[in-house]
Amino acid sequence: MRSEIAVEAATAEEVSELRRALRGNQRVDLVATDAETVELSGERRGLRELTRTLLVRERSARKFGQAALAAADRSVRTRLQKAV
């Protein structure tokens, strides 16, 4: 069953990281973005997979000294978890 969710207060960097995390995820689609919200449509399983992908990306960025990317991944993952 597909559902739509809105992830609020997303920055441009967070939107970019979310788009990268969505690559290869066949169960979630990016519906729309604006200055304050990202709208996603997808299956619950796909949204959980997206959350895991963002966690892996955060850990990888932290490991390679990319603190800004890690923070963006963490922020959008936290907002996604709250929205689901």
Side-chain angles (χ1 to χ4, degrees):
M1 183 171 146
R2 292 184 75 83
S3 60
E4 289 195 14
I5 63 165
V7 180
E8 299 201 15
T11 65
E13 189 171 79
E14 292 169 351
V15 172
S16 294
E17 288 304 299
L18 184 57
R19 285 179 190 270
R20 287 183 189 104
L22 279 167
R23 290 182 192 154
N25 188 326
Q26 301 296 319
R27 295 181 180 96
V28 179
D29 297 313
L30 182 65
V31 177
T33 61
D34 62 29
E36 299 174 358
T37 307
V38 175
E39 292 182 32
L40 301 171
S41 174
E43 300 173 11
R44 200 154 186 71
R45 181 177 172 189
L47 294 169
R48 284 193 309 266
E49 182 180 313
L50 179 58
T51 301
R52 285 190 303 270
T53 299
L54 287 163
L55 178 61
V56 169
R57 290 180 57 78
E58 175 191 345
R59 289 178 178 170
S60 177
R62 195 177 310 134
K63 178 180 177 181
F64 290 101
Q66 298 173 320
L69 290 179
D73 287 324
R74 180 180 55 249
S75 180
V76 75
R77 179 177 50 83
T78 301
R79 290 186 177 123
L80 177 62
Q81 289 172 323
K82 288 179 183 177
V84 173

